[in-house]
PDB file of all heavy atoms in Angstrom:
ATOM      1  N   LYS E 451       1.893  15.831  10.724  1.00  0.00           N
ATOM      2  CA  LYS E 451       2.126  15.905   9.348  1.00  0.00           C
ATOM      3  C   LYS E 451       2.875  17.272   8.994  1.00  0.00           C
ATOM      4  O   LYS E 451       2.548  18.287   9.491  1.00  0.00           O
ATOM      5  CB  LYS E 451       0.785  15.979   8.706  1.00  0.00           C
ATOM      6  CG  LYS E 451       0.052  14.596   8.745  1.00  0.00           C
ATOM      7  CD  LYS E 451      -1.346  14.748   8.257  1.00  0.00           C
ATOM      8  CE  LYS E 451      -2.235  13.438   8.584  1.00  0.00           C
ATOM      9  NZ  LYS E 451      -3.608  13.678   8.463  1.00  0.00           N
ATOM     10  N   PRO E 452       3.938  17.004   8.298  1.00  0.00           N
ATOM     11  CA  PRO E 452       4.780  18.272   8.038  1.00  0.00           C
ATOM     12  C   PRO E 452       4.049  19.311   7.180  1.00  0.00           C
ATOM     13  O   PRO E 452       3.238  18.887   6.149  1.00  0.00           O
ATOM     14  CB  PRO E 452       6.054  17.736   7.314  1.00  0.00           C
ATOM     15  CG  PRO E 452       5.663  16.318   6.913  1.00  0.00           C
ATOM     16  CD  PRO E 452       4.511  15.827   7.694  1.00  0.00           C
ATOM     17  N   PRO E 453       4.094  20.511   7.442  1.00  0.00           N
ATOM     18  CA  PRO E 453       3.413  21.565   6.664  1.00  0.00           C
ATOM     19  C   PRO E 453       3.896  21.432   5.183  1.00  0.00           C
ATOM     20  O   PRO E 453       3.172  21.730   4.238  1.00  0.00           O
ATOM     21  CB  PRO E 453       4.028  22.932   7.248  1.00  0.00           C
ATOM     22  CG  PRO E 453       4.702  22.566   8.524  1.00  0.00           C
ATOM     23  CD  PRO E 453       4.929  21.064   8.474  1.00  0.00           C
ATOM     24  N   GLU E 454       5.159  21.001   4.915  1.00  0.00           N
ATOM     25  CA  GLU E 454       5.669  20.847   3.542  1.00  0.00           C
ATOM     26  C   GLU E 454       4.742  19.944   2.681  1.00  0.00           C
ATOM     27  O   GLU E 454       4.533  19.996   1.590  1.00  0.00           O
ATOM     28  CB  GLU E 454       7.045  20.554   3.561  1.00  0.00           C
ATOM     29  CG  GLU E 454       8.085  21.442   3.938  1.00  0.00           C
ATOM     30  CD  GLU E 454       8.107  21.604   5.449  1.00  0.00           C
ATOM     31  OE1 GLU E 454       7.416  20.806   6.143  1.00  0.00           O
ATOM     32  OE2 GLU E 454       8.957  22.395   6.000  1.00  0.00           O
ATOM     33  N   MET E 455       4.423  18.850   3.446  1.00  0.00           N
ATOM     34  CA  MET E 455       3.459  17.867   2.781  1.00  0.00           C
ATOM     35  C   MET E 455       2.006  18.438   2.590  1.00  0.00           C
ATOM     36  O   MET E 455       1.351  18.362   1.455  1.00  0.00           O
ATOM     37  CB  MET E 455       3.334  16.553   3.591  1.00  0.00           C
ATOM     38  CG  MET E 455       2.339  15.500   2.951  1.00  0.00           C
ATOM     39  SD  MET E 455       2.301  14.060   3.928  1.00  0.00           S
ATOM     40  CE  MET E 455       0.652  14.254   4.520  1.00  0.00           C
ATOM     41  N   LEU E 456       1.556  19.026   3.583  1.00  0.00           N
ATOM     42  CA  LEU E 456       0.117  19.724   3.582  1.00  0.00           C
ATOM     43  C   LEU E 456       0.071  20.750   2.523  1.00  0.00           C
ATOM     44  O   LEU E 456      -0.981  21.074   1.931  1.00  0.00           O
ATOM     45  CB  LEU E 456      -0.260  20.207   4.957  1.00  0.00           C
ATOM     46  CG  LEU E 456      -0.404  19.056   5.965  1.00  0.00           C
ATOM     47  CD1 LEU E 456      -0.607  19.659   7.364  1.00  0.00           C
ATOM     48  CD2 LEU E 456      -1.480  18.089   5.554  1.00  0.00           C
ATOM     49  N   GLU E 457       1.166  21.370   2.212  1.00  0.00           N
ATOM     50  CA  GLU E 457       1.133  22.480   1.264  1.00  0.00           C
ATOM     51  C   GLU E 457       0.993  21.888  -0.126  1.00  0.00           C
ATOM     52  O   GLU E 457       0.382  22.439  -0.959  1.00  0.00           O
ATOM     53  CB  GLU E 457       2.516  23.262   1.263  1.00  0.00           C
ATOM     54  CG  GLU E 457       2.389  24.514   0.412  1.00  0.00           C
ATOM     55  CD  GLU E 457       3.681  25.099   0.011  1.00  0.00           C
ATOM     56  OE1 GLU E 457       4.735  24.310  -0.029  1.00  0.00           O
ATOM     57  OE2 GLU E 457       3.868  26.198  -0.347  1.00  0.00           O
ATOM     58  N   LEU E 458       1.518  20.822  -0.321  1.00  0.00           N
ATOM     59  CA  LEU E 458       1.433  20.056  -1.596  1.00  0.00           C
ATOM     60  C   LEU E 458       0.033  19.313  -1.707  1.00  0.00           C
ATOM     61  O   LEU E 458      -0.589  19.358  -2.812  1.00  0.00           O
ATOM     62  CB  LEU E 458       2.389  18.844  -1.744  1.00  0.00           C
ATOM     63  CG  LEU E 458       4.004  19.338  -1.670  1.00  0.00           C
ATOM     64  CD1 LEU E 458       4.688  18.043  -1.723  1.00  0.00           C
ATOM     65  CD2 LEU E 458       4.176  20.187  -2.875  1.00  0.00           C
ATOM     66  N   SER E 459      -0.512  18.794  -0.632  1.00  0.00           N
ATOM     67  CA  SER E 459      -1.862  18.153  -0.708  1.00  0.00           C
ATOM     68  C   SER E 459      -2.534  18.413   0.712  1.00  0.00           C
ATOM     69  O   SER E 459      -2.191  17.847   1.730  1.00  0.00           O
ATOM     70  CB  SER E 459      -1.628  16.617  -0.845  1.00  0.00           C
ATOM     71  OG  SER E 459      -2.755  15.974  -0.838  1.00  0.00           O
ATOM     72  N   ALA E 460      -3.507  19.195   0.574  1.00  0.00           N
ATOM     73  CA  ALA E 460      -4.260  19.763   1.827  1.00  0.00           C
ATOM     74  C   ALA E 460      -5.009  18.593   2.454  1.00  0.00           C
ATOM     75  O   ALA E 460      -5.380  18.602   3.551  1.00  0.00           O
ATOM     76  CB  ALA E 460      -5.157  20.846   1.491  1.00  0.00           C
ATOM     77  N   LYS E 461      -5.396  17.522   1.653  1.00  0.00           N
ATOM     78  CA  LYS E 461      -6.316  16.507   2.275  1.00  0.00           C
ATOM     79  C   LYS E 461      -5.471  15.693   3.352  1.00  0.00           C
ATOM     80  O   LYS E 461      -6.120  15.060   4.277  1.00  0.00           O
ATOM     81  CB  LYS E 461      -6.940  15.614   1.288  1.00  0.00           C
ATOM     82  CG  LYS E 461      -5.906  14.665   0.554  1.00  0.00           C
ATOM     83  CD  LYS E 461      -6.767  13.903  -0.501  1.00  0.00           C
ATOM     84  CE  LYS E 461      -5.853  13.035  -1.414  1.00  0.00           C
ATOM     85  NZ  LYS E 461      -5.786  11.662  -0.928  1.00  0.00           N
ATOM     86  N   GLY E 462      -4.242  15.870   3.394  1.00  0.00           N
ATOM     87  CA  GLY E 462      -3.473  15.175   4.587  1.00  0.00           C
ATOM     88  C   GLY E 462      -3.374  13.675   4.641  1.00  0.00           C
ATOM     89  O   GLY E 462      -3.322  13.203   5.818  1.00  0.00           O
ATOM     90  N   THR E 463      -3.490  13.080   3.496  1.00  0.00           N
ATOM     91  CA  THR E 463      -3.282  11.553   3.530  1.00  0.00           C
ATOM     92  C   THR E 463      -1.995  11.205   2.839  1.00  0.00           C
ATOM     93  O   THR E 463      -1.416  12.043   2.076  1.00  0.00           O
ATOM     94  CB  THR E 463      -4.436  10.772   2.797  1.00  0.00           C
ATOM     95  OG1 THR E 463      -4.393  11.187   1.448  1.00  0.00           O
ATOM     96  CG2 THR E 463      -5.731  11.013   3.379  1.00  0.00           C
ATOM     97  N   VAL E 464      -1.408  10.158   3.389  1.00  0.00           N
ATOM     98  CA  VAL E 464      -0.233   9.541   2.726  1.00  0.00           C
ATOM     99  C   VAL E 464      -0.685   8.397   1.856  1.00  0.00           C
ATOM    100  O   VAL E 464      -1.685   7.596   2.193  1.00  0.00           O
ATOM    101  CB  VAL E 464       0.807   9.093   3.669  1.00  0.00           C
ATOM    102  CG1 VAL E 464       1.561  10.293   4.204  1.00  0.00           C
ATOM    103  CG2 VAL E 464       0.283   8.262   4.887  1.00  0.00           C
ATOM    104  N   PRO E 465      -0.082   8.118   0.750  1.00  0.00           N
ATOM    105  CA  PRO E 465       1.220   8.642   0.329  1.00  0.00           C
ATOM    106  C   PRO E 465       1.005   9.962  -0.652  1.00  0.00           C
ATOM    107  O   PRO E 465      -0.045  10.120  -1.144  1.00  0.00           O
ATOM    108  CB  PRO E 465       1.837   7.586  -0.581  1.00  0.00           C
ATOM    109  CG  PRO E 465       0.591   6.870  -1.176  1.00  0.00           C
ATOM    110  CD  PRO E 465      -0.490   6.861  -0.019  1.00  0.00           C
ATOM    111  N   VAL E 466       2.020  10.828  -0.621  1.00  0.00           N
ATOM    112  CA  VAL E 466       2.045  11.946  -1.534  1.00  0.00           C
ATOM    113  C   VAL E 466       3.375  11.859  -2.238  1.00  0.00           C
ATOM    114  O   VAL E 466       4.450  11.836  -1.670  1.00  0.00           O
ATOM    115  CB  VAL E 466       1.835  13.270  -0.770  1.00  0.00           C
ATOM    116  CG1 VAL E 466       2.059  14.494  -1.630  1.00  0.00           C
ATOM    117  CG2 VAL E 466       0.589  13.345   0.052  1.00  0.00           C
TER     118      VAL E 466
END
Side-chain angles (χ1 to χ4, degrees):
K451 295 171 191 163
E454 288 78 3
M455 177 183 113
L456 295 173
E457 192 204 22
L458 299 175
S459 174
K461 72 185 171 87
T463 62
V464 282
V466 174

